[in-house]
Amino acid sequence: MQKIDVFDTTLRDGEQSAGINLNTSEKLEIAKQLEKLGVDVMEAGFPASSQGDFEAVKKIAQTVQSSIVTGLARAVKSDIDTSWDALKYGAEPHLHIFLATSPIHMTHKLKKTPDQVVEIAVESVKHAKKHFPLVQWSAEDAFRSDPDFLVRIVEKVIQAGATTINLPDTVGYATPAEYGAMFNYLKNNVKSIDKVKLSAHCHNDLGMAVANSIAAIQNGADQVEATINGIGERAGNAALEELAVALHIRKDVYQYETGIHFQEIKRTSQLVSQLTGMAIQANKAVVGKNAFAHESGIHQDGMLKDRSTYEIITPELIGETSNQLVLGKHSGRHAFKNKAVELGFDLTDEKINDAFKAFKALADKKKQISEDDLYVILTDQQIQEDDTPVYELKSVQVQYGNGSIPTASVSVKNPEGELLQEASTGSGSVEAICNTLERLVKGKVHLLDYRVTSIGKGRDALGEAVVNLTYNGKSSTGRDVAQDVLEASAKAYLNAINRQIVNERNRSFAKSV
Ligand code: KIV
Ligand code: ZN
């Protein structure tokens, strides 16, 4: 069976999704999990786009060993040089340069002639090759480009030293037959095409990203680009887990395999959803909450008689466990630490102690702690960032009655270390909390979106709140978890504000050095 390489772009194209803003430790956590998942290449970010992205890409390149780490760059020397400074630490430094090739993009966006675009592409690849052994070149909006122009420019960038050629369907417009035909055309018309790896990159605007990627593979693509849970610009990218599982389950038809460790799919999907604050739709293929739920009586009856009646993928394949209850209120630090190690966490003693305190506080309220609860507690410790002073929730109290006006009293410690208290009303408890917090923080806040979900099952499940707001005009998403959804909401609100404060501080630090 031919092996297809998986290029994950969760941390670059995925992170471009509206409302997602991951900090460096969150990106690193996801990168480590992607490595466990077995992706061949991971795109860790766009180093020249911001100081934050630069630092995250550098840290990931320094940490990840068994996947190739790449970063995105425009076809300009300064982007390429900055990317080298971040990516040179990788075991096999890899750069991803893109340049638009469709008439629409060349005319309206780049304002360049096709000849100029060829020249810029060739120069940028030659420059990148001075540093990088591996250079992927992407023809942005390839699908809407003139096929003969693609043949010409691809031939030239291969001669300039590109090692991978990527042909994206940037706007998600292709049908499987058409996208496959483009790969076939390039395979048959670019003389040196067999010297390079050929890659597919599909967006999901018409819901065909996974089907299009598979059509590309059937027509000569050696690599597919995808994101966890299909997150990404607009309607997202091809969902990595769907692609890998589809190729595996239907290997009788496709005859291709990937290096994905299926057992890590569920954990990776949950981690990405938790840290990005992007919920997974319940009926999403492979990783949705209902993907293995059999609801109708006839289906349940069939399943009881023989699982193969209605089950084509087993939950075990993707590492879905029954979320066992693992620890209780009497479990000690030793048992807690062992469980953390068993779940794959490698925390310092100080972090284990803090996580243990959080576990004890939860165990006092909840009889038994499940694996999902532990993942949340331990991941939260793992991603604790530096000690930049930010807002900290000290207490929140809400008075609610269906015949009275909801009132919240909140106290917070501000970044200057002062304890502040306020109270305010709202048309509901959450609004009362938001109104109070708005009075407590310096700056202008505008709430855009708010969501609460439960972690795991049961009436005592942890509540997770995700808050999307603008703070001083900049959009930010915060999240937090608590046993009470009102406390989780207050913390998530402050988390969104704190992320902006840390971003601002990093920005002014970057300017001053
Ligand atoms: O969709 C796209 O064209 C991209 C490129 C930057 C590869 O994401
Ligand atoms: Zn893309």
Side-chain angles (χ1 to χ4, degrees):
M1 256 193 256
Q2 188 194 333
K3 164 143 189 294
I4 299 297
D5 283 353
V6 175
F7 176 117
D8 176 274
T9 181
T10 306
L11 295 171
R12 200 277 300 167
D13 222 334
E15 219 249 350
Q16 272 170 235
S17 310
I20 296 185
N21 52 327
L22 296 167
N23 62 33
T24 300
S25 353
E26 290 165 335
K27 286 185 186 165
L28 186 63
E29 211 40 42
I30 293 177
K32 289 195 275 185
Q33 183 57 35
L34 291 171
E35 188 180 20
K36 277 194 202 157
L37 180 68
V39 303
D40 299 280
V41 186
M42 71 173 81
E43 190 165 40
F46 190 165
S49 69
S50 71
Q51 185 66 18
D53 242 33
F54 178 87
E55 292 302 338
V57 174
K58 179 170 162 187
K59 193 98 200 210
I60 293 169
Q62 285 168 331
T63 311
V64 167
Q65 293 298 319
S66 47
S67 308
I68 290 175
V69 177
T70 191
L72 187 69
R74 289 168 301 176
V76 292
K77 282 189 175 159
S78 58
D79 271 28
I80 296 168
D81 295 339
T82 305
S83 302
W84 173 245
D85 288 338
L87 289 160
K88 62 184 171 198
Y89 304 94
E92 272 182 285
H94 180 296
L95 183 68
H96 178 192
I97 308 177
F98 73 102
L99 186 62
T101 52
S102 66
I104 301 176
H105 279 236
M106 290 192 291
T107 313
H108 302 297
K109 190 180 81 175
L110 300 179
K111 301 193 189 310
K112 301 269 182 235
T113 63
D115 285 349
Q116 286 171 318
V117 169
V118 174
E119 194 185 322
I120 296 167
V122 167
E123 286 314 308
S124 63
V125 171
K126 280 188 180 160
H127 186 69
K129 282 295 278 193
K130 289 183 190 153
H131 304 300
F132 290 90
L134 300 174
V135 174
Q136 165 165 324
W137 184 79
S138 281
E140 191 192 12
D141 206 14
F143 179 68
R144 293 191 300 170
S145 305
D146 169 33
D148 292 320
F149 179 61
L150 272 185
V151 168
R152 179 176 151 217
I153 193 166
V154 165
E155 187 69 63
K156 292 271 185 214
V157 291
I158 296 175
Q159 281 164 12
T163 49
T164 300
I165 297 295
N166 180 33
L167 303 175
D169 177 19
T170 303
V171 292
Y173 185 65
T175 65
E178 289 172 320
Y179 194 60
M182 176 175 72
F183 278 77
N184 190 30
Y185 193 74
L186 274 266
K187 267 278 189 205
N188 287 322
N189 290 284
V190 176
K191 277 202 285 315
S192 41
I193 200 79
D194 290 331
K195 287 193 193 147
V196 296
K197 202 162 46 157
L198 200 51
S199 184
H201 176 113
C202 297
H203 281 267
N204 206 28
D205 299 66
L206 297 175
M208 293 194 274
V210 170
N212 287 348
S213 307
I214 293 178
I217 294 173
Q218 291 178 303
N219 284 280
D222 315 280
Q223 171 178 283
V224 278
E225 308 197 357
T227 59
I228 300 298
N229 300 334
I231 62 172
E233 281 278 11
R234 309 180 308 279
N237 290 57
L240 188 153
E241 63 285 353
E242 291 180 22
L243 254 172
V245 170
L247 291 178
H248 174 70
I249 296 287
R250 297 312 314 272
K251 54 178 173 294
D252 55 326
V253 177
Y254 295 128
Q255 306 273 313
Y256 299 108
E257 61 181 3
T258 64
I260 292 299
H261 304 142
F262 297 104
Q263 286 287 305
E264 294 293 335
I265 286 182
K266 186 71 186 182
R267 170 74 195 123
T268 315
S269 160
Q270 282 183 327
L271 181 72
V272 168
S273 170
Q274 182 193 340
L275 298 186
T276 57
M278 291 274 280
I280 304 167
Q281 88 196 49
N283 63 330
K284 175 163 183 323
V286 182
V287 289
K289 171 154 90 45
N290 294 349
F292 302 103
H294 301 272
E295 201 54 31
S296 90
I298 294 174
H299 285 212
Q300 288 177 352
D301 179 55
M303 284 291 286
L304 287 173
K305 289 177 175 145
D306 190 317
R307 298 185 75 86
S308 67
T309 49
Y310 290 103
E311 190 175 75
I312 59 152
I313 316 166
T314 64
E316 293 77 27
L317 175 79
I318 60 149
E320 163 121 43
T321 57
S322 48
N323 189 26
Q324 302 134 6
L325 301 171
V326 282
L327 296 173
K329 121 184 209 169
H330 299 297
S331 309
R333 188 181 175 285
H334 193 64
F336 178 78
K337 189 172 173 185
N338 281 350
K339 192 69 205 171
V341 173
E342 191 189 312
L343 294 179
F345 289 87
D346 179 20
L347 294 169
T348 59
D349 276 353
E350 198 188 336
K351 288 196 170 194
I352 279 284
N353 288 345
D354 289 347
F356 185 61
K357 272 190 220 147
F359 158 73
K360 277 289 181 191
L362 182 63
D364 272 344
K365 297 184 196 151
K366 200 176 176 216
K367 270 203 215 90
Q368 287 201 296
I369 306 295
S370 66
E371 230 171 63
D372 282 352
D373 297 329
L374 281 185
Y375 270 125
V376 168
I377 292 174
L378 291 161
T379 306
D380 270 349
Q381 275 310 319
Q382 190 110 303
I383 58 169
Q384 285 302 326
E385 282 243 299
D386 55 16
D387 28 16
T388 308
V390 288
Y391 288 100
E392 197 185 318
L393 183 75
K394 287 294 173 192
S395 69
V396 54
Q397 199 185 342
V398 180
Q399 270 182 317
Y400 172 81
N402 60 0
S404 61
I405 298 173
T407 310
S409 320
V410 182
S411 65
V412 299
K413 194 156 100 187
N414 70 8
E416 291 73 41
E418 299 151 344
L419 193 67
L420 310 175
Q421 279 177 310
E422 263 296 352
S424 187
T425 58
S427 51
S429 303
V430 173
E431 199 198 351
I433 291 175
C434 294
N435 290 346
T436 315
L437 287 169
E438 199 173 333
R439 289 182 176 195
L440 282 167
V441 298
K442 263 191 225 149
K444 260 202 140 10
V445 188
H446 178 56
L447 190 69
L448 300 171
D449 202 4
Y450 165 74
R451 169 168 59 82
V452 237
T453 37
S454 66
I455 307 270
K457 299 193 177 100
R459 50 206 281 181
D460 60 356
L462 287 174
E464 180 185 46
V466 176
V467 169
N468 182 220
L469 47 74
T470 60
Y471 182 50
N472 293 332
K474 298 227 166 69
S475 152
S476 181
T477 302
R479 46 153 215 100
D480 216 315
V481 173
Q483 211 183 17
D484 187 281
V485 290
L486 296 179
E487 184 184 334
S489 307
K491 286 179 166 170
Y493 186 102
L494 288 180
N495 183 250
I497 306 265
N498 289 339
R499 280 169 193 267
Q500 272 309 327
I501 293 176
V502 174
N503 279 351
E504 269 322 307
R505 207 157 292 158
N506 288 345
R507 253 193 290 273
S508 40
F509 175 72
K511 268 190 215 141
S512 68
V513 288

